[in-house]
Amino acid sequence: MAETVVQTDHERGAAPAPPPRGRRGRRTVLVASALVVVAAVAVVGALGLGGGGAEEDSSAPPRSGSTVPVTRTTLTERTTVDGQLGYGTEIPLPVKATGTVTWLPAEGTTVQRGRTLLRVDDRPVVLLYGTLPMYRELGLTAGTQQGTRQETGTEGDTQDTGDQGRTDETSAAPDPSGSPTPGGAGAGAGGTGGTLRGMDVLQFESNLATLGYTGFTVDEEFTDLTARAVKRWQKSLGLPQTGTVAMGDVVYSAGKVRIGHASVRLGSPATDDVLTYTGTSRKVVVNASAAEDSWAVRGAAVTIGLPDGKSVKGEVASVGKSATAPEEGGGEGGSATPTVPVTITIKDQKSVGRLESAPVTVEYVGRERADVLTVPVAALVALAEGGHGLETADGRFVAVKTGLFADGRVEVSGSAVREGMNVRIPE
């Protein structure tokens, strides 16, 4: 009845007592006691206890707080991780030319089929498209080996001829699998030379025809008509018109490339890694935790958050198969976990704008629960006996079982919960 006494003193206009030395400490005790009383009342309400007849209930003021309906929907858990926008890992160009580097492109330059990648001894090294690397010269008699071995007629016996540029007709037969024949030689022609055959010939002729140098059949055979087209191509490049393509004249890639950095300067000898390149499409790389990479499935859709606040769509293109151990002492408290690289492609390159490199966020769908009953998380109340419950619009409390939490809502289930029932959000 302390509250009543205080009210009476106040009504009587009694002067307040002088503040004692320990006033602040007692005020803290009083506040804490009040909180305990409020908590006790909340628990009693949740349990539906506290006594009182119907008459007392009817005179009680209405409870505050808004009500919301229980709705049936699909809950989707979304997780955000950090990523890096860029063009991917730089790869050395397989340059075979030897000599002195006399010209280099600027970093970031895009090079397409038929264009010059660099110049060595002032000769252009040209980009063509294909997956088979340049491994031999291409020409009417190119690609043959010195000292080819010729059958003598006795089974299993061979003889070293020591001749250059000549092969026996028995070694000229094309491989049934379509692979280049040993030594790069094909059928002999009157003993004066060999006809070059192979998949590398087909790849080169396809590029030559695409560039507009035609007049030959695109196949696996390098013929005189092919050589004539090569001479026209060489003339356009300012090269001697030999009709033969040297190993260092061409570099193959799967498509157009974006030049990375150069490992040498002008005037230096050409090396295998003289230039690096990447693809021309921007992508995102995420170092995903190896323990939580189940979302990273090829073809999975993700949302990429750009630094300007815009979002673009992405798709998981590849997932690394080797986990990288964290650096020593890395992570907070040394708790960093191994990661795997996840590469995400962006189909609509224009949506990225002019950004070439930037930190980004990647949002992916984790768990998903379809056709479940949900309420706002704020509607949950803690029950004294444990677990969670909901307060109905008429003041009753019903126990519920919680499921997935996502987007500010929570999945609920229970015998007393139904779609459309109104529950209270406590203030």
Side-chain angles (χ1 to χ4, degrees):
M1 298 303 174
E3 183 178 358
T4 305
V5 172
V6 171
Q7 291 177 350
T8 304
D9 289 342
H10 177 68
E11 292 173 356
R12 293 174 179 176
R21 180 177 297 179
R23 179 180 180 181
R24 175 174 295 182
R26 283 198 293 273
R27 177 182 296 177
T28 304
V29 172
L30 290 174
V31 172
S33 301
L35 292 176
V36 170
V37 171
V38 171
V41 171
V43 171
V44 169
L47 293 173
L49 303 177
E55 183 177 349
E56 182 181 352
D57 290 341
S58 62
S59 62
R63 291 178 55 82
S64 61
S66 58
T67 60
V68 293
V70 176
T71 59
R72 186 176 297 277
T73 186
T74 296
L75 276 187
T76 302
E77 180 186 63
R78 302 180 185 275
T79 304
T80 300
V81 293
D82 294 329
Q84 181 66 39
L85 175 71
Y87 288 91
T89 305
E90 294 185 3
I91 304 171
L93 277 166
V95 176
K96 302 294 184 182
T98 58
T100 301
V101 177
T102 53
W103 179 82
L104 288 167
E107 185 173 348
T109 301
T110 298
V111 181
Q112 304 181 42
R113 184 195 337 242
R115 301 295 184 178
T116 301
L117 289 165
L118 72 159
R119 296 181 76 93
V120 178
D121 287 347
D122 206 29
R123 288 173 60 94
V125 178
V126 180
L127 177 71
L128 297 180
Y129 295 170
T131 57
L132 188 64
M134 190 76 172
Y135 66 92
R136 60 176 178 175
E137 290 186 347
L138 300 179
L140 290 175
T141 57
T144 56
Q145 293 180 338
Q146 182 178 3
T148 54
R149 304 181 69 81
Q150 180 180 2
E151 293 184 5
T152 61
T154 304
E155 185 176 355
D157 294 334
T158 59
Q159 177 180 342
D160 194 346
T161 64
D163 293 334
Q164 297 185 28
R166 298 185 59 182
T167 61
D168 185 76
E169 290 185 4
T170 57
S171 64
D175 190 320
S177 64
S179 302
T181 55
T192 60
T195 300
L196 204 64
R197 293 185 177 89
M199 293 300 295
D200 57 337
V201 175
L202 174 63
Q203 179 175 269
F204 175 78
E205 288 187 342
S206 298
N207 279 273
L208 203 58
T210 301
L211 292 172
Y213 301 95
T214 56
F216 58 91
T217 302
V218 177
D219 55 16
E220 298 181 22
E221 185 175 344
F222 196 106
T223 65
D224 181 64
L225 294 176
T226 307
R228 292 181 186 180
V230 170
K231 290 179 181 180
R232 297 195 301 273
W233 175 61
Q234 289 173 329
K235 181 179 180 180
S236 71
L237 295 172
L239 293 172
Q241 300 171 46
T242 62
T244 298
V245 186
M247 284 183 61
D249 290 344
V250 170
V251 170
Y252 285 103
S253 78
K256 58 185 179 179
V257 301
R258 180 180 182 274
I259 300 299
H261 72 276
S263 63
V264 301
R265 296 182 178 180
L266 294 181
S268 301
T271 60
D272 290 343
D273 58 350
V274 58
L275 275 178
T276 61
Y277 77 99
T278 65
T280 57
S281 297
R282 287 158 293 182
K283 59 192 70 175
V284 172
V285 176
V286 173
N287 290 321
S289 168
E292 300 176 357
D293 64 348
S294 58
W295 63 271
V297 179
R298 186 174 181 180
V302 298
T303 301
I304 300 167
L306 301 178
D308 60 3
K310 295 181 180 178
S311 297
V312 299
K313 295 180 180 180
E315 182 178 294
V316 175
S318 63
V319 182
K321 296 182 179 179
S322 299
T324 302
E327 297 180 2
E328 260 183 62
E332 297 181 4
S335 60
T337 58
T339 60
V340 293
V342 179
T343 301
I344 298 167
T345 56
I346 304 171
K347 186 175 181 180
D348 184 7
Q349 289 286 302
K350 292 183 179 179
S351 64
V352 187
R354 296 183 178 181
L355 281 177
E356 293 190 351
S357 177
V360 297
T361 59
V362 175
E363 183 184 80
Y364 63 87
V365 174
R367 294 179 297 166
E368 189 173 79
R369 294 282 292 165
D371 194 32
V372 293
L373 296 177
T374 69
V375 296
V377 174
L380 289 179
V381 294
L383 299 180
E385 67 271 22
H388 295 90
L390 297 173
E391 182 184 0
T392 63
D394 58 4
R396 292 181 299 108
F397 288 86
V398 295
V400 295
K401 181 180 179 182
T402 59
L404 180 63
F405 287 76
D407 298 328
R409 300 186 69 84
V410 58
E411 174 190 357
V412 292
S413 59
S415 58
V417 183
R418 68 182 185 280
E419 181 179 0
M421 69 179 291
N422 289 323
V423 296
R424 192 179 303 278
I425 297 182
E427 287 188 352

